[in-house]
Amino acid sequence: MKRLYVVIPCYNEEEVLPETAKRLKVKMQALIQGGAITPDSRVLFVDDGSKDGTWGLIQRFHGEDPLFGGLKLSHNQGHQNALLAGLLYAKDHCDAAISMDADLQDDIEAIDAFLREYEKGADVVYGVRSKRETDTFFKRTTALGFYRIMGLLGVEMIPNHADYRLMSQRALEGLAQYREVNLFLRGVVPLIGYPSAQVYYERHERFAGQSKYPLKKMLAFAVDGITSFSIKPIRLITALGFLIFLVSLVVLLYTLCTKLFGYTVDGWATILGSIWMIGGIQLLCLGVIGEYIGKIYRETKARPRFLLECVLDEDTPSSSTMQ
């Protein structure tokens, strides 16, 4: 039997959290009774600076049943950093950890298959969606397009996989050695390189509450993923600059010929269009370069990725502050 931690990042999830805790308790008890995990396994909720009653619920769950533990971040740091905080804490207390969202879209019943793959020797088990029928056409199309773009840029990712995965203690130790501030776990975890497996499941509709990933955050998340793992956009800018240079030589030749033959009035539309086109391309290129400079700026400051304000777990005091 192995000690399992289920790590769940939470941000303003008071509407769904009671049902999540209820279902996970049933599942964990079944696994304990079946001998799949040890009785001291835990469900660890990570409160990412919620503004509602999420932390109060986590405290109540912990007081009623030691199965539930909690971490409270001192400030909202984003889903990826909250998830990392939970995984790094679990690393020192478990044999394996499973990360999942609090909204019950991830199929809890797939945990059994995760554990079977782990027992076969997989250090990382990815939960992969078998289909995307519950998504809108726009979300499905943009998600698949994102995975294709990441593949073309040379980034190793698991298509249709979010953050529902199992990681062994050895894989968690490997994860702890990645120190970047610009965190994109879906790209980092495959780099660890230990034996892995995939479990396919059907993703459900959100049980309650609103999605914490609107279009704006999804786009920012995609940009973070691309700029954190590939320098190909910079190389594309170099190639584009060379192409524009060749085009400019052709335009220069055309301009000289027009001048020599006295057609100086003709071509004003071409020149005006070229100016706007090149100006737009320059601004776009500066924006891409700026994204990389911003990443460098954040990394060089080396600010902590998260600070723990409070820890609720049987292995630690009920109210401890960590950094």
Side-chain angles (χ1 to χ4, degrees):
M1 291 196 300
K2 303 295 183 181
R3 190 179 191 192
L4 175 70
Y5 264 57
V6 179
V7 178
I8 305 175
C10 308
Y11 179 69
N12 294 343
E13 297 286 6
E14 65 175 350
E15 293 183 55
V16 71
L17 216 54
E19 183 66 21
T20 303
K22 175 183 174 182
R23 295 190 189 184
L24 280 172
K25 183 175 181 177
V26 172
K27 169 53 65 176
M28 295 292 281
Q29 287 178 339
L31 292 171
I32 291 171
Q33 292 172 2
I37 60 176
T38 62
D40 57 351
S41 297
R42 296 283 181 268
V43 175
L44 183 69
F45 294 109
V46 184
D47 180 21
D48 184 25
S50 297
K51 298 177 181 178
D52 62 0
T54 295
W55 180 244
L57 286 173
I58 295 172
Q59 289 178 306
R60 194 189 83 194
F61 298 153
H62 176 69
E64 294 174 350
D65 192 332
L67 171 70
F68 299 106
L71 303 180
K72 179 175 175 59
L73 303 192
S74 61
H75 189 268
N76 176 251
Q77 297 291 345
H79 177 273
Q80 296 289 280
N81 283 315
L83 179 54
L84 180 68
L87 292 175
L88 293 186
Y89 177 84
K91 168 178 67 70
D92 299 323
H93 301 82
C94 70
D95 298 301
I98 292 177
S99 58
M100 63 184 300
D101 291 336
D103 55 17
L104 292 176
Q105 289 188 284
D106 297 324
D107 185 9
I108 293 176
E109 298 305 319
I111 292 177
D112 301 77
F114 278 48
L115 292 172
R116 286 195 293 270
E117 295 296 335
Y118 168 72
E119 291 295 340
K120 293 178 184 177
D123 284 285
V124 181
V125 183
Y126 300 99
V128 180
R129 297 179 63 170
S130 57
K131 53 187 177 180
R132 306 189 68 103
E133 294 180 355
T134 57
D135 288 348
T136 63
F137 173 79
F138 175 77
K139 185 174 182 180
R140 180 167 60 252
T141 303
T142 52
L144 295 176
F146 170 69
Y147 289 119
R148 290 193 183 99
I149 291 172
M150 294 295 279
L152 291 173
L153 294 177
V155 182
E156 184 180 355
M157 285 184 62
I158 307 299
N160 294 319
H161 163 71
D163 289 300
Y164 190 24
R165 69 178 73 88
L166 177 146
M167 299 182 70
S168 69
Q169 186 181 49
R170 181 170 73 151
L172 291 172
E173 292 285 356
L175 177 63
Q177 297 183 45
Y178 287 82
R179 308 300 302 174
E180 57 254 47
V181 174
N182 301 286
L183 192 62
F184 187 69
L185 288 174
R186 300 180 198 184
V188 171
V189 173
L191 295 178
I192 296 174
Y194 294 133
S196 64
Q198 297 181 12
V199 169
Y200 292 89
Y201 71 99
E202 291 189 22
R203 191 168 172 85
H204 308 303
E205 294 284 352
R206 184 179 177 88
F207 179 80
Q210 296 181 346
S211 172
K212 303 306 184 294
Y213 267 91
L215 179 60
K216 181 179 178 181
K217 282 192 175 182
M218 288 174 61
L219 291 175
F221 189 66
V223 170
D224 278 343
I226 292 171
T227 55
S228 295
F229 283 88
S230 177
I231 62 169
K232 283 191 177 180
I234 296 290
R235 291 176 177 172
L236 289 174
I237 287 175
T238 303
L240 182 61
F242 182 72
L243 178 62
I244 292 176
F245 172 71
L246 294 178
V247 172
S248 69
L249 293 179
V250 176
V251 173
L252 177 61
L253 180 61
Y254 169 77
T255 304
L256 291 174
C257 291
T258 303
K259 178 66 174 177
L260 289 174
F261 289 99
Y263 298 109
T264 53
V265 176
D266 293 339
W268 67 270
T270 303
I271 295 173
L272 189 62
S274 299
I275 292 173
W276 279 96
M277 181 188 70
I278 293 175
I281 292 174
Q282 287 175 334
L283 289 175
L284 175 63
C285 293
L286 286 174
V288 173
I289 294 171
E291 283 290 331
Y292 282 94
I293 294 174
K295 292 289 190 298
I296 295 170
Y297 174 64
R298 293 184 62 189
E299 293 290 344
T300 54
K301 287 190 295 185
R303 289 179 177 175
R305 291 172 291 185
F306 57 85
L307 297 175
L308 296 184
E309 179 180 328
C310 187
V311 177
L312 299 176
D313 194 12
E314 292 301 298
D315 296 333
T316 61
S318 60
S319 180
S320 62
T321 302
M322 300 176 61
Q323 294 187 2

